[in-house]
């Protein structure tokens, strides 16, 4: 009886050492990579190859949705999971390489963005530190995993600040609109009736552009304008918060998963080849991504997480019934 209990305890411990990913994990990373490639190709303008990349991402997510309805899965074996993580690491390194070699990463720069390049190189180097644990199939110490992710956050923060400072006055109507909108709101006036700027789209001839963004965007950008003088710092903070929320979600989905498995969603987001371009141009999407990630994290955070020992006991009962 004691031998059987010992074997059962060992089996339970081994089963909780690592956790396989949810079946949608591969689809989500693949779609993220396809969208990143599309953004890198388009530079924010419509192009057929970029549209095809977005369409591919939608097809992958749609296929995963259909598979979920039918009760299928994309990743079923630990060997497949290891191959997926290696592929994801290569994809992350590819995105970093594209960003590092992008001469138009900061479109309206008045000086060279040296520190942003250094941040990207550092991020690529950090990605390589995950590979030994992936190949060995071992778990790294928690303090090391957390410290490495803090380093990733610092790289994105410092790179984003350098991108903003190297392009203090981007020639894009989005930035001008948001700057003026925050100023008007600070005076307790209505930006939707008071703000109107010239459209900077190539070849555009027509009336000026009014303030068209949501009230939430106004409230998010106002503190950055008042404190730092530039609304783009709100976008940078939004990127960092979204990355932390993504890591939280991955960690809840895979409590004892490999370190790269829990960091990959955030790393894919941070290594999007045009991330610093998006921040420099004051695009509003980082705020939308932040709120979406926080909403999902808040929903997931309310769900009780079963203890690993309870999961092992349920697995033992299923085996005995079989």
């Amino acid at each position: 009886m004691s031998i059987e209990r010992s074997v059962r305890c060992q089996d339970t411990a081994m089963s909780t050492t690592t956790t396989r990913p949810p079946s949608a994990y591969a689809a989500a990373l693949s779609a993220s990579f396809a969208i990143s490639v599309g953004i890198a190709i388009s530079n924010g303008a419509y192009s057929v190859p970029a549209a095809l990349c977005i369409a591919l991402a939608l097809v992958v997510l749609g296929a995963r949705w259909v598979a979920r309805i039918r009760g299928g899965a994309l990743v079923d074996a630990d060997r497949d999971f290891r191959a997926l993580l290696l592929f994801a690491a290569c994809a992350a390194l590819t995105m970093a390489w594209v960003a590092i070699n992008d001469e138009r990463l900061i479109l309206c720069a008045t000086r060279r963005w040296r520190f942003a390049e250094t941040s990207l190189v550092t991020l690529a180097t950090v990605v390589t530190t995950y590979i030994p644990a992936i190949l060995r199939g071992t778990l790294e110490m928690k303090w090391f995993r957390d410290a490495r992710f803090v380093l990733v956050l610092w790289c994105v923060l410092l790179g984003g600040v350098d991108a903003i400072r190297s392009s203090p006055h981007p020639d894009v109507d989005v930035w001008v609109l948001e700057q003026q909108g925050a100023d008007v709101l600070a005076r307790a006036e209505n930006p939707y009736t008071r703000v109107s700027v010239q459209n900077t789209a190539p070849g555009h001839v027509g009336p000026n552009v009014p303030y068209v963004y949501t009230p939430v965007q106004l409230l998010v950008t106002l503190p950055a304008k008042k404190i730092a003088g530039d609304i783009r710092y709100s976008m940078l903070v939004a990127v960092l918060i979204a990355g932390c929320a993504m890591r939280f979600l991955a960690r809840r989905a895979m409590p004892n998963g490999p370190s790269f498995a829990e960091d990959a969603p955030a790393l894919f987001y941070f290594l999007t080849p045009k991330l610093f371009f998006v921040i420099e141009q004051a695009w509003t999407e980082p705020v939308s991504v932040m709120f979406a990630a926080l909403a999902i994290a808040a929903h997931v955070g309310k769900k009780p997480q079963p203890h690993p020992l309870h999961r092992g006991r349920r697995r033992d009962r299923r085996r005995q019934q079989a």
Side-chain angles (χ1 to χ4, degrees):
M1 191 70 179
S2 60
I3 296 178
E4 180 182 356
R5 184 179 304 171
S6 176
V7 171
R8 181 175 301 176
C9 291
Q10 291 178 6
D11 185 42
T12 301
M14 291 177 63
S15 65
T16 57
T17 300
T18 58
T19 304
R20 288 185 295 176
S23 56
Y25 191 81
L29 290 183
S30 300
S32 176
F33 180 71
I35 293 173
S36 297
V37 173
I39 295 175
I41 294 174
S42 67
N43 286 318
Y46 174 78
S47 70
V48 174
L52 291 176
C53 290
I54 303 301
L56 176 62
L58 294 176
V59 168
V60 170
L61 294 177
R64 171 56 211 146
W65 181 71
V66 172
R68 180 180 181 181
I69 294 177
R70 296 179 176 179
L74 295 179
V75 178
D76 293 324
D78 291 333
R79 183 184 66 247
D80 297 333
F81 187 24
R82 185 177 302 180
L84 168 64
L85 293 181
L86 287 174
F87 168 79
C90 293
L93 291 173
T94 301
M95 290 189 290
W97 181 84
V98 171
I100 292 169
N101 292 275
D102 187 358
E103 293 294 332
R104 294 168 58 85
L105 181 64
I106 311 298
L107 191 61
C108 304
T110 57
R111 63 172 177 82
R112 188 64 180 176
W113 52 93
R114 295 295 183 187
F115 203 86
E117 289 181 338
T118 303
S119 298
L120 290 170
V121 172
T122 304
L123 286 175
T125 305
V126 169
V127 171
T128 62
T129 64
Y130 293 91
I131 296 178
I134 296 174
L135 295 176
R136 293 195 303 265
T138 57
L139 296 178
E140 298 166 318
M141 298 182 65
K142 185 179 183 301
W143 70 265
F144 177 73
R145 298 160 70 135
D146 293 339
R148 179 170 52 194
F149 191 73
V150 170
L151 175 62
V152 170
L153 294 176
W154 270 106
C155 287
V156 177
L157 174 63
L158 297 179
V161 170
D162 186 55
I164 294 172
R165 291 184 175 180
S166 63
S167 178
H169 302 285
D171 185 21
V172 57
D173 52 12
V174 178
W175 178 75
V176 180
L177 274 174
E178 295 190 77
Q179 288 280 101
Q180 293 187 9
D183 287 334
V184 171
L185 183 62
R187 299 195 299 266
E189 297 177 358
N190 186 359
Y192 295 98
T193 59
R194 303 280 295 178
V195 176
S196 178
V197 303
Q198 183 179 359
N199 194 321
T200 57
H204 176 79
V205 178
N208 288 353
V209 181
Y211 192 91
V212 295
Y213 303 111
T214 64
V216 173
Q217 186 71 20
L218 275 169
L219 297 176
V220 169
T221 55
L222 179 60
K225 183 62 173 66
K226 297 297 292 183
I227 296 173
D230 197 315
I231 55 93
R232 292 176 293 177
Y233 288 104
S234 291
M235 316 302 183
L236 177 57
V237 173
V239 168
L240 297 173
I241 294 176
C244 292
M246 293 175 189
R247 187 175 190 254
F248 169 79
L249 289 169
R251 178 174 285 185
R252 285 298 296 262
M254 295 170 284
N256 298 298
S259 57
F260 189 71
E262 68 181 24
D263 292 349
L267 287 171
F268 270 48
Y269 185 46
F270 293 152
L271 289 172
T272 300
K274 287 294 183 180
L275 178 65
F276 291 150
F277 171 84
V278 169
I279 294 174
E280 182 233 354
Q281 296 289 296
W283 289 4
T284 61
E285 282 75 11
V287 175
S288 302
V289 174
M290 176 189 70
F291 280 117
L294 287 177
I296 299 173
H299 173 71
V300 172
K302 290 182 180 180
K303 295 182 178 180
Q305 190 175 18
H307 192 275
L309 182 58
H310 297 164
R311 289 195 297 267
R313 289 174 177 173
R314 287 199 300 268
R315 186 179 295 108
D316 288 342
R317 286 196 295 269
R318 288 196 299 266
R319 289 176 180 175
Q320 290 176 358
Q321 292 173 358

